Every structure is written in structure tokens, then in C-alpha cells.
Amino acid sequence: MADLSHSRSASAGSAANGSRRLFHNLFVRNFSAKLAATPMIMTVLIVFIGCTAWTIFYSFTNSRSLPSGELVGFDQYTRLFSNRRWNASVLNIMTYGVTSLCFTMVVGFLLAVFMDQKIRFESAFRTVFLYPFALSFIVTGLVWQWIMNPAFGLQAAVQSWGFTSFTFDWLKNRNMVVYALVIAGLWQGTGFVMVLLLAGLRGIDEEIWKAARVDGIPTWKTYIFVVLPMMRGVIVTTLVIVGSGIVRLYDLVVAMTQGGPGISSEVPAKYVYNYMFGAGNLGQGLAASSVMLLTVFIILIPWMLIEFRPKSHS
Amino acid sequence: MQHSVSIKDLSLNFGHVKVLQHLDLDIGQGEFIVLLGPSGCGKSTLLNCIAGLLDVSEGQIFIGGKNVTWEQPKDRGIGMVFQSYALYPQMSVERNLSFGLRVSGMKKDEIEKRVSRAAEILQIGPLLQRKPANLSGGQRQRVAIGRALVRDVDVFLFDEPLSNLDAKLRSDLRVEIKRLHQRLKNTMIYVTHDQIEALTLADRIAVMKGGVIQQLDTPHVIYNRPVNLYVAGFIGSPSMNFFEGSLSGGTEPVFTADDGTKIPARNYKFDTVPDSKPMAAVLGVRPEHIVIGDHAKTMTFQAEAEIEIVEPMGSDTLAWTNICGKSVTFRCDSDVLLEAGQKLPVGFDVERGSLFSAETTNRL
Amino acid sequence: MEVPTDWNQYVADFPKLREAGVIPFALAQGWPTNGIFGVLLAGIGGTDLFLAVNRDKDVTAVEGPDFRKVAQAYADLRDAVDVNETVGQWNEATAQLINNTAAGNIMGDWAQGEFAVAGKVAGKDYDCLPGLGLNAVLDTGGDAFYFPKNDDPAITEAQLVLAKTMLSPETQVAFNLKKGSLPVRGDVDMSAANACMQKGLKILEDPNGVLPSGEQLLSSDTQQQLQDLEIEFFSDKSMSIDDFVGQFADIMSSAD
């Protein structure tokens, strides 16, 4: 602090001195640490920031199969938001996202709590719940496509047992197909959420539980008011993992519904893929992916502002 | 008089492992009991049983005359303080103190009254709005004690409450706990592996080993008249010097050390006077009961010894020497200047020491 | 029941087929659904409309009455199809035909390969209506083979041998008899071909019988948009024909 105010009040003569110090601080100090971090810094600069900038720039061009530098303003975006398939995709991913996020977190947490009750055969249960996560979304999608197929799957089976009025045709139902995706997604991902949250639960000091029991706090209140707040870090990690899985949802849709019936289970990532590679319209695909990126930022920035705001000690 | 806490024939098994075996313990109103022993001796387990955090396999627990063996912890009239403080990290100190009371549905002004009283007693008033993360270890442990305090209970349970603190804080807080006990006059049951804490705090110490209470008595008796070799060796630092040998009883009891040295034990207060038939025995003498110089000449045992190592401790000095073919330590005033290699007369009185049967390890 | 001679007869038979417990029209999701629209456009709309729309990107043709008729036919088919009977892949739809659970389907000539494998004979066990029996045209396309250029003369020679073999009359005959499709060269003897292939070969003899496919006329970007629209329209019974035509015209106005 004293240093800073000194250089502020110093005359122009010490400006050169200041820039030398800046150089020193930037490059010479902790040189080996900075050298070691260079590959990662370059990766971030080139792969993440560089490619993002490239994507955004070319979303303002009329690039088709190959990138072109001809700028067309917001044309790609105008077309994007007047496209019925894109708008349906956005709506679908929102429905899927909110439902899937709520259910994976709640069900995953309840399963973790269940596993934390010192039950017998815990590792067997854990394996069973986690097993679907070892399968790709493609396999998951194909399996559930058969289970939910009204002609062969659950509906046909239950009807053949005599319950002829039973219907479960979500895959063919334009209004319910997104929830069919949610079910398959839950089946695949909940075990993983459970394992993450279970690790968080196990990290809670046992004496906290004892203290709560002595205080006479009911178990469910201990979970909600004491344990959950203590698991904040694990929960944020889980939310980020689940959230990124939702945003990039693609393979499950391709395997399970191909976006159908009609366009009623289309998702943004599939739109990006189809227009970039299938339709050879790079500009349109990049505009769509830029919008996806923007959405992620809109969700993340308020959270980051809260999380990383300078902490004040009162 | 009614006992504050009474434990009758308590056993606890984890599968085939017997952690506590047929344990009896009566604790008086306002008494400060310390459960002392090495890790794995069952002292914390016993405390958890009293708190109701572990279900017992056999036996009964009474608190305030009420059979609480199968009561929930909250209904036992106890407060508990843990080694890791176990504060709720997302809540302010004030909320940590009041959370249990709020959940129980207590009236607001009563909660406020209790919290401010606890804050006043523990001098944590200025910390009430802070989160535990912004407190020092000592402050956290005070809050943890406060959480037990607001419950307004008769019995406080402490599970190694000072073990996570550094030495300086530990002795400060030790005094505070003693002061607290003197002010509140609650029954306190305190688990520790630290004998200094036990000796300084306790009205009575229960020395435990293998799930069994070896000896339950005042610190003075525990220190001076240990009931068996285990207690004798466990209490005291540096530990008691032991001489193996044999004891012939009768009217003129004599202890003969393994190297043949005969030590008369005429004035020793035997619990049970052994008969004249010689028996294998162990003589234990505390380092501070070995005296040197002229003073040694009045002792029932006297010898000339050569100093091997000298350890000045500041307040006193420890020295290593060899008596009766055994390496022994003794303690003397720090003003006495000792040197390695120095020869001087040493001596002790057998009646200040302890005699144990080598066979049963029990005090004779 | 008689085998219909054109699309209109076939559609008129739908209720009767339903009564008989047969799925009138076997449908696979995805591209087969858009393919139908192209076939209807050529068959019902005729060659001129097909070219006006696909080649000339003529928005007025899209908004005209003939196109509307095609859209209406597409909507009628949509309303006749039970969504629970649709299948995932084209060969499953063909299987419905082979198993006699469905009456008919719109598919390329390669479907005949499936019939052949199942031991079915064209003209006896099944039949074809090229151009829906209304407008005898074929929309053609084929697969292309590209050989990478290289410096090794032995490989270049092998490439030439492969190309020669694939295009030799013997290979063409043998391959197309198996696949059920038409040869890429007109100078081979296809007398061994089945009844369906004979119909196709006859159309091929007429230079006006061959239509360039939509894939050749429209950019893949435009095709993708049309595909999205057609699939949406076909799945959503509440989407009106006006809406469909309007959207179609919109896409064609900026088509390339």
C-alpha cells in the first residue's frame, strides 16, 4: 500500500522505473512458476478464448461450408430466432434443463442420504446406481427408445398382462417426449450425482451429527439446515457438471428420438450440428452456438459475482 | 444422596468386540469426573453411551435419578462439547447457540436470555454475529461450551475438548473450565488422554483400560496409591521407577530386588499383609520420592549412585542413574547442580512407594 | 382387394385397409418422411411444378393452387397415419410390408433388396407405382466413388481396375438384380430384371422421365430447412396448410 501511494505521487521521472518494475513483476519474479504455467495459459488463450472469438466472429459472416470473411451483421441471428426449429429447441432445452436439474439433484441427494444410513451391501447398491453412468448416452438412448416404444416396450408389455387401457406413449407424444428424455437422462446421471453428494456427506464431521442429536435437532432438519449448507462446494461442483451436461445434450436425443416426433424434441446442440455439418451452413451453426455460449454466461455471471465478490470481514 | 449420573453393569459390544464390560460408575451431584486412558480404552465410548449417542448392549444409565438408558440424547438433560468443536459452520455464533432451542420451540425472550447469559459467562458477547470460520480455536471451543450451557442442563459431557488446541491455549482453557465448574457447580464428565488435565481438573479420576475402569478415586489417591501396575505406570511423568524382585511378608517384611539388594518394608501400609512365604513382587517409586545427598541418609533405602544424564526442566531437574541394576529417574530441585559422572548418595522410603504383586499386578 | 393403379385409389382404400386390420401406410421417421413430400410433389404436382419449385425457386409456384394440392395430399396422409405405428428406420417400414402388417409405403427402389432377401417376388407378392402411377417420372440419384490421387502406379492401376469392374455391364446387372435398383448405364441387358425394375427401366427410356433430385437442385442448407419444416408439419396435426405453404414460400424466397 505504501509502495503504491509512493509511485502515484512520484513525478514522471520515476515512470520508467515503474514500468521496469512492472516488467519485473510480470516476467522475472517467480519465473519458474510462470514458465510451468505457460502451457496452460497458452491453452486457455488459444483453445478457449481464441476459438470462442473465432466462433463469434464467423457467426456474423455468411460462411457456408467453409469460413468466409464477408460480414452480414446480425442476419444469421435474425434467421436463427425466426426459425421454428431453433425456437422449439430452446424451449425444449429449458424444459429439459429445469426438470432434469431439479430431479437429478433431489433424487441424487435422497439416494445419497439413503446410502449414508450405514446400510448393508452399500457398495453393491452404489455400483447398481452408478452403473448407468458407465453407459454412453447413445446406449442409454437406444435402450430407453425400446423401453418406451409403445409397440414393443413397457406399454405393450403391460397391455399384454391384461391392463389394456394402460398407455405410455411419451416417445410418440409431442407434448411428453421431452419428459421421456428427462427420464432416460435421470436414469443415466442420477447415480453419478448420488456418488458426488455421498462423498460430500461423508466429508461431514461425525461430531456435527452428534452435536445435532444432543441439541435435539431432527435428522431431516440437520440435513437441510446444517449438512446441506456445509456441502455447498460439492453441490456447486455437481450443479456445474449436471448443468454442462444439460447444455450440451445431443447424443441422447439422436439415439432416442432423432428430435421427433417432428421437431418436438429438438435441442440446440443438435441444431448446431445439423446446420454446421449436415446443411453446410457454418455461419448459422456458429450463430446458434454463440447464443448457447451467451446463455451459459447469463446464467454463470450472476453466480460468479456472488461467489467471487471480495469477502468483507465485519 | 442421589447420584447425578449412575451407570449400572454397562456393557457395549460391537459384534464380537467387547468395548465396555460390566461397568459401574456413580457420579455425585456437582462432581467433576475425568475418564482417563489411552486411545481405544473405551473412555469416549462410555461418554457417548452416557450421552445416548450409542446404544448400550447391556446395563442401565440413570441421570438425575431417571432411567435414561433408552432416551434420546436431547431428553437426557445433558450438554456435550466435542474435540472438533462441531459448530454449525454456516451459522453465526448466536445462531449456533440458539439453534437447538429454536428447534425445540422455546420462546424467543427465553432464548435471548439464555444466549446472553452464556455469552456473558464465556465472554463471547462481541463474537455473537461472527461465523465460526472467523474465530480462533479457543473462541470456537468457548462457543461449543456455550452451546452446552444454553441447554441449561445438569450434566456436561466433554469429549477431549482441548486436544485440538496448542499447549498455551490448552492450559488457559483448562483453567477456564475449572472456573466454570466452580461457578456453575454442574456435574461434569470429561474425557481426556492427558493426565495433566485429569489431575488438575478432576474431583475423581476414572482410569480406564480395555473397557474396564481400573481405578476410580481422587487425583491424590490415584497418584500416590495406584491400585495396580497399569495405573502406576500410566499416571505420572516421567513415569514411576519399577524394581522387580520378591517380597517376604510376616512381621518384618523385606523386599529383595533381583540383584539381591534387601530393602526393609516395615512401615509400608499393606492393603493386605502378605504371609512370610516369599512372593514375586514389583516395587514402584516415583522420581520425586528419590532423594539425594544428606537427606538420603534418613531413608530406609540408601545407595551410592552415579549420575548418567541430567535434564534441567527449569522448575526442577531430572536425572538418570542406576540403582539395584535398574535404570531409574529421579527429580530434584533445580538449584541442585548435578553433573553426569558425579557420584552421590541416593535413597527413598519404601512406604512412599508402591508394592505390587508380580502375579496379579495388584497393589499389595 | 385390388392393387391400386395410382395414389388416389390407394388413399381412397385407406379406410378399408384399416377395417381389415392392416396399417394403410407404413411410415419411418426422419428422412423417409420428407422423401414422401418430394415424391408427392413430382407425382401429384407434376414435373413442371417440381422443377418450378426446386429448380427455379419460384415462390409464386409455391403459393399457387397446384402446390396447395400437394400440401393437402401430404396433410391427408399425415392425418391418416397413426403416430404409434410409425417406426424408426426405413427398413422396419419395409419389414411391415413384407410381414403383411402394412399395405404400402413410399420408398426408393433399394427397398426391393429387402423384399428379395425375404424371398418375395415383384409383381406377384408386391408391386410398385413409380411416380405414384400419376406422373411417370423418376427422381434419380446415385452414390459416387472418389479415388485419392497417389504416386504409386500399382495403386493407380488397382483403382482403375476397381472402377472398370464396378461399371462393367456384368457387375451392373448382377448388382442391380440383387439391390433391386436401376443400372447407371443404359446399354446393359436387364431382361432378367423383375417387374418393378422393368417399370423403372421403361421410364428411363423416356428422356423426360428422369427428374433431377432435390439434392442436386437445392443447397444442403435449404434442404435442411425444408426438411425441418416438412417433419414439423407432418408430426403436428394442428399445423395448417396455410402455415405450411407460407413457411415453405419463406424458405424458398431465400433458397439457393
Side-chain angles (χ1 to χ4, degrees):
Chain A
M1 216 35 213
D3 234 42
L4 190 68
S5 55
H6 171 77
S7 67
R8 262 195 202 144
S9 62
S11 62
S14 70
N17 200 0
S19 69
R20 197 180 307 143
R21 187 182 306 149
L22 182 71
F23 175 83
H24 180 88
N25 282 345
L26 267 183
F27 297 105
V28 183
R29 206 157 55 108
N30 297 336
F31 177 72
S32 54
K34 278 167 186 163
L35 189 70
T38 307
M40 193 58 223
I41 292 169
M42 295 312 277
T43 310
V44 169
L45 284 178
I46 295 170
V47 177
F48 295 119
I49 300 183
C51 291
T52 304
W54 192 92
T55 297
I56 292 170
F57 175 79
Y58 282 98
S59 73
F60 289 102
T61 65
N62 62 358
S63 304
R64 299 299 287 257
S65 290
L66 294 172
S68 100
E70 196 183 319
L71 290 166
V72 291
F74 280 93
D75 279 7
Q76 297 285 15
Y77 291 90
T78 318
R79 175 176 153 187
L80 185 67
F81 281 105
S82 60
N83 185 297
R84 296 163 72 109
R85 176 176 159 188
W86 171 257
N87 291 331
S89 300
V90 171
L91 209 66
N92 284 340
I93 203 69
M94 281 181 349
T95 315
Y96 176 89
V98 171
T99 327
S100 171
L101 195 67
C102 292
F103 275 95
T104 25
M105 292 306 284
V106 171
V107 176
F109 183 70
L110 289 178
L111 281 177
V113 167
F114 161 70
M115 300 291 277
D116 200 32
Q117 306 305 308
K118 302 199 171 75
I119 52 166
R120 273 168 186 243
F121 311 121
E122 186 200 310
S123 61
F125 277 112
R126 214 172 38 210
T127 311
V128 168
F129 287 132
L130 189 56
Y131 213 83
F133 191 68
L135 301 179
S136 69
F137 258 146
I138 293 289
V139 176
T140 308
L142 286 175
V143 168
W144 281 92
Q145 187 210 325
W146 286 110
I147 294 176
M148 296 197 190
N149 187 317
F152 311 102
L154 197 62
Q155 176 177 311
V158 175
Q159 284 181 354
S160 75
W161 297 334
F163 305 95
T164 43
S165 60
F166 178 84
T167 51
F168 183 62
D169 60 349
W170 288 9
L171 270 194
K172 307 280 185 184
N173 185 326
R174 294 176 40 250
N175 299 317
M176 298 307 289
V177 67
V178 174
Y179 300 102
L181 292 175
V182 170
I183 290 177
L186 281 181
W187 179 81
Q188 207 257 2
T190 308
F192 181 62
V193 171
M194 175 204 77
V195 169
L196 284 178
L197 294 179
L198 183 61
L201 281 178
R202 291 282 152 84
I204 304 287
D205 184 357
E206 209 184 330
E207 292 195 332
I208 289 278
W209 279 104
K210 291 184 177 179
R213 282 187 66 191
V214 171
D215 264 352
I217 297 157
T219 308
W220 67 272
K221 276 198 176 172
T222 311
Y223 271 118
I224 292 175
F225 294 110
V226 180
V227 172
L228 267 182
M230 288 177 79
M231 287 171 61
R232 187 195 159 98
V234 177
I235 289 172
V236 168
T237 308
T238 313
L239 280 177
V240 168
I241 293 173
V242 172
S244 68
I246 288 168
V247 171
R248 62 164 191 245
L249 179 71
Y250 169 78
D251 28 12
L252 184 65
V253 178
V254 169
M256 213 168 139
T257 67
Q258 290 114 37
I263 55 168
S264 49
S265 63
E266 289 288 349
V267 286
K270 187 164 176 284
Y271 184 92
V272 171
Y273 176 82
N274 279 162
Y275 275 90
M276 226 142 105
F277 301 104
N281 193 333
L282 206 54
Q284 183 65 198
L286 293 179
S289 47
S290 298
V291 171
M292 286 172 72
L293 180 72
L294 187 71
T295 319
V296 169
F297 273 126
I298 288 173
I299 296 168
L300 277 186
I301 282 173
W303 170 74
M304 277 168 25
L305 286 180
I306 296 167
E307 192 73 353
F308 300 118
R309 67 158 189 259
K311 292 219 166 70
S312 59
H313 290 275
S314 51
Chain B
M1 193 190 106
Q2 193 188 42
H3 295 297
S4 171
V5 177
S6 190
I7 291 154
K8 296 198 195 309
D9 195 34
L10 184 81
S11 295
L12 178 75
N13 308 325
F14 290 139
H16 295 295
V17 185
K18 292 183 171 140
V19 186
L20 298 174
Q21 304 178 39
H22 304 290
L23 219 133
D24 288 292
L25 180 63
D26 289 323
I27 298 165
Q29 205 70 50
E31 196 175 11
F32 199 124
I33 289 275
V34 171
L35 304 178
L36 176 68
S39 56
C41 72
K43 57 189 190 301
S44 280
T45 310
L46 175 58
L47 195 75
N48 280 316
C49 286
I50 298 171
L53 297 168
L54 284 174
D55 287 342
V56 304
S57 308
E58 267 178 66
Q60 290 172 315
I61 298 166
F62 294 83
I63 294 176
K66 198 173 116 199
N67 186 342
V68 296
T69 315
W70 300 107
E71 296 278 348
Q72 285 296 312
K74 68 180 165 79
D75 302 323
R76 294 187 173 210
I78 51 140
M80 194 160 174
V81 178
F82 298 91
Q83 177 176 357
S84 68
Y85 325 123
L87 298 178
Y88 311 131
Q90 308 297 327
M91 299 181 192
S92 67
V93 168
E94 191 271 333
R95 238 184 125 75
N96 260 285
L97 296 182
S98 62
F99 188 49
L101 305 180
R102 278 170 211 256
V103 168
S104 74
M106 185 180 281
K107 283 208 186 82
K108 264 213 163 125
D109 44 343
E110 173 66 13
I111 295 178
E112 245 167 64
K113 214 171 77 192
R114 289 191 183 190
V115 169
S116 57
R117 173 170 170 268
E120 180 260 318
I121 291 174
L122 296 162
Q123 297 162 14
I124 50 175
L127 312 177
L128 282 181
Q129 297 317 316
R130 290 211 200 155
K131 291 268 177 75
N134 300 330
L135 300 178
S136 72
Q139 289 170 329
R140 284 181 210 184
Q141 197 53 284
R142 264 178 235 240
V143 176
I145 295 171
R147 198 169 52 184
L149 212 56
V150 292
R151 289 177 54 74
D152 203 15
V153 288
D154 297 328
V155 180
F156 277 19
L157 308 178
F158 293 88
D159 193 357
E160 306 235 13
L162 307 182
S163 298
N164 278 10
L165 300 172
D166 61 43
K168 173 80 172 68
L169 262 172
R170 201 150 52 205
S171 58
D172 289 352
L173 223 63
R174 204 171 66 210
V175 174
E176 275 192 50
I177 289 175
K178 188 148 194 164
R179 196 172 282 147
L180 189 72
H181 180 238
Q182 283 173 1
R183 176 170 175 181
L184 299 174
K185 304 203 164 41
N186 288 45
T187 306
M188 293 190 175
I189 307 177
Y190 187 109
V191 163
T192 183
H193 63 270
D194 183 323
Q195 46 175 302
I196 303 297
E197 280 175 29
L199 292 166
T200 52
L201 288 171
D203 292 328
R204 283 194 298 163
I205 297 173
V207 181
M208 291 185 69
K209 182 199 172 195
V212 174
I213 294 178
Q214 304 287 317
Q215 185 172 10
L216 171 66
D217 221 317
T218 61
H220 186 264
V221 173
I222 295 264
Y223 190 78
N224 292 296
R225 293 182 63 80
V227 292
N228 58 28
L229 270 177
Y230 175 77
V231 176
F234 187 75
I235 300 277
S237 172
S239 45
M240 195 179 252
N241 301 298
F242 291 113
F243 303 94
E244 284 85 14
S246 65
L247 179 78
S248 52
T251 46
E252 285 292 318
V254 172
F255 177 80
T256 311
D258 277 352
D259 71 336
T261 314
K262 286 193 188 306
I263 307 167
R266 198 183 314 120
N267 297 330
Y268 182 80
K269 290 189 193 78
F270 285 101
D271 284 358
T272 47
V273 183
D275 54 28
S276 53
K277 207 176 77 188
M279 62 183 292
V282 178
L283 170 63
V285 182
R286 294 240 176 251
E288 60 271 27
H289 293 153
I290 297 176
V291 294
I292 53 170
D294 293 344
H295 199 41
K297 297 198 170 107
T298 62
M299 298 285 134
T300 51
F301 171 82
Q302 295 161 27
E304 181 87 353
E306 184 180 332
I307 307 289
E308 288 167 351
I309 294 168
V310 179
E311 283 187 318
M313 310 289 283
S315 57
D316 47 22
T317 299
L318 292 180
W320 263 254
T321 181
N322 214 305
I323 301 173
C324 301
K326 293 281 294 183
S327 173
V328 302
T329 44
F330 65 87
R331 193 193 296 266
C332 62
D333 196 279
S334 58
D335 289 342
V336 182
L337 294 172
L338 295 175
E339 272 176 37
Q342 187 184 357
K343 286 197 172 147
L344 75 175
V346 298
F348 57 82
D349 272 342
V350 174
E351 59 259 38
R352 294 220 63 181
S354 301
L355 278 164
F356 303 96
S357 156
E359 192 192 337
T360 64
T361 76
N362 286 337
R363 185 179 185 86
L364 291 168
Chain C
M1 279 171 69
E2 290 292 307
V3 175
T5 55
D6 66 28
W7 177 256
N8 296 332
Q9 283 184 19
Y10 175 39
V11 172
D13 281 345
F14 277 8
K16 272 191 254 168
L17 291 165
R18 267 278 169 235
E19 261 171 52
V22 176
I23 299 169
F25 190 85
L27 181 72
Q29 287 170 359
W31 62 264
T33 306
N34 333 87
I36 290 168
F37 187 78
V39 173
L40 292 178
L41 186 60
I44 294 170
T47 308
D48 290 344
L49 181 66
F50 184 89
L51 289 176
V53 172
N54 283 339
R55 187 185 61 199
D56 307 332
K57 285 111 191 159
D58 182 353
V59 175
T60 49
V62 171
E63 286 161 345
D66 288 346
F67 187 86
R68 219 183 151 77
K69 250 166 50 191
V70 177
Q72 182 65 55
Y74 199 46
D76 289 347
L77 182 62
R78 168 185 84 183
D79 297 340
V81 166
D82 180 348
V83 77
N84 286 320
E85 289 160 0
T86 57
V87 291
Q89 305 290 334
W90 69 266
N91 54 329
E92 293 171 50
T94 309
Q96 287 181 324
L97 265 61
I98 294 171
N99 300 334
N100 291 325
T101 51
N105 152 250
I106 290 180
M107 189 39 63
D109 51 9
W110 52 81
Q112 290 201 75
E114 298 278 315
F115 281 100
V117 170
K120 301 289 180 183
V121 179
K124 193 168 126 243
D125 297 315
Y126 68 97
D127 212 340
C128 320
L129 292 177
L132 300 176
L134 300 170
N135 179 19
V137 288
L138 283 180
D139 155 347
T140 57
D143 293 313
F145 287 81
Y146 295 88
F147 293 106
K149 223 178 148 156
N150 67 87
D151 298 334
D152 187 340
I155 294 177
T156 310
E157 195 173 327
Q159 288 170 342
L160 287 172
V161 171
L162 178 60
K164 235 182 231 161
T165 311
M166 284 195 298
L167 290 175
S168 74
E170 298 80 30
T171 313
Q172 282 293 317
V173 173
F175 175 77
N176 286 303
L177 287 180
K178 285 243 175 337
K179 193 191 171 203
S181 51
L182 302 177
V184 291
R185 47 197 288 178
D187 58 348
V188 294
D189 176 19
M190 290 297 289
S191 52
N194 69 29
C196 274
M197 289 159 75
Q198 296 296 355
K199 286 189 189 177
L201 288 168
K202 217 169 131 200
I203 294 170
L204 280 187
E205 282 165 13
D206 177 1
N208 292 327
V210 182
L211 277 180
S213 82
E215 292 186 32
Q216 286 164 289
L217 297 172
L218 297 167
S219 73
S220 46
D221 184 34
T222 306
Q223 284 174 53
Q224 179 74 55
Q225 293 176 71
L226 291 177
Q227 184 180 324
D228 291 346
L229 174 65
E230 287 156 14
I231 286 185
E232 185 191 3
F233 178 66
F234 204 84
S235 75
D236 184 356
K237 292 191 166 132
S238 66
M239 191 169 170
S240 70
I241 293 171
D242 286 334
D243 203 357
F244 174 69
V245 172
Q247 296 275 332
F248 203 105
D250 257 7
I251 294 168
M252 290 322 279
S253 67
S254 64
D256 48 13

